[in-house]
Amino acid sequence: MIMESKRQQKFAGVLQEELASIFQREGAAYLPNTLVTITKVRVSPDLAVAKVYLSFLNTNNTTLSVAEVNAHSSEIRYKLGARIRHQARVVPTLTFFLDDTNEYVERMDKIFDKIAKEPRQEDTEEQAD
């Protein structure tokens, strides 16, 4: 895996902060009654493309929510451009993705709970003696 440069990390942080602010103020226009969290932003080395990972609260269909945000990506990019015009030469093209980290963590927790409840090999052998 290629490490991001300090410049990419710093720019990604700026984008994450500004996008969070945009979604906080105007997110209801894209997804009513849904809380959107920007969990991670990855920026290409030339800072022209940004992959934005989203997490949703209060939605039944996350795939549909991501599609809806992507449908408004040019509008969101315009609003972002107005906010970062003094900090960046180019406003990156935005692509939104679902951050399924929470779902993955929940799934792993369930697996670990299931493993913890199963009797261990040694315990069953000791009981047989």
Side-chain angles (χ1 to χ4, degrees):
M1 192 164 135
I2 300 170
M3 291 287 295
E4 286 184 326
S5 69
K6 290 279 186 207
R7 184 171 168 240
Q8 283 172 283
Q9 291 172 358
K10 188 174 178 184
F11 190 57
V14 169
L15 294 179
Q16 184 171 358
E17 201 173 297
E18 295 299 339
L19 285 169
S21 181
I22 290 169
F23 276 104
Q24 186 177 15
R25 289 196 177 92
E26 302 161 34
Y30 314 122
L31 298 165
N33 302 322
T34 303
L35 179 67
V36 181
T37 306
I38 287 74
T39 56
K40 189 181 348 175
V41 177
R42 296 263 184 235
V43 184
S44 64
D46 63 354
L47 309 181
V49 178
K51 292 181 179 180
V52 182
Y53 293 88
L54 306 174
S55 177
F56 299 96
L57 201 63
N58 241 9
T59 185
N60 297 330
N61 190 339
T62 53
T63 309
L64 191 66
S65 298
V66 171
E68 186 65 28
V69 172
N70 271 313
H72 292 282
S73 66
S74 59
E75 184 183 336
I76 296 167
R77 182 177 182 232
Y78 177 80
K79 289 177 181 179
L80 177 67
R83 291 169 160 270
I84 67 167
R85 66 179 182 265
H86 299 301
Q87 299 170 37
R89 268 185 289 155
V90 177
V91 179
T93 304
L94 304 173
T95 310
F96 296 94
F97 297 94
L98 176 64
D99 183 3
D100 57 356
T101 307
N102 288 339
E103 293 167 19
Y104 178 76
V105 168
E106 286 175 22
R107 202 167 54 239
M108 293 306 289
D109 280 344
K110 286 178 186 174
I111 290 171
F112 288 136
D113 287 344
K114 186 178 175 185
I115 290 170
K117 289 176 185 169
E118 289 178 3
R120 291 197 331 248
Q121 200 80 32
E122 301 155 9
D123 294 346
T124 53
E125 288 173 3
E126 287 173 11
Q127 291 171 357
D129 288 335

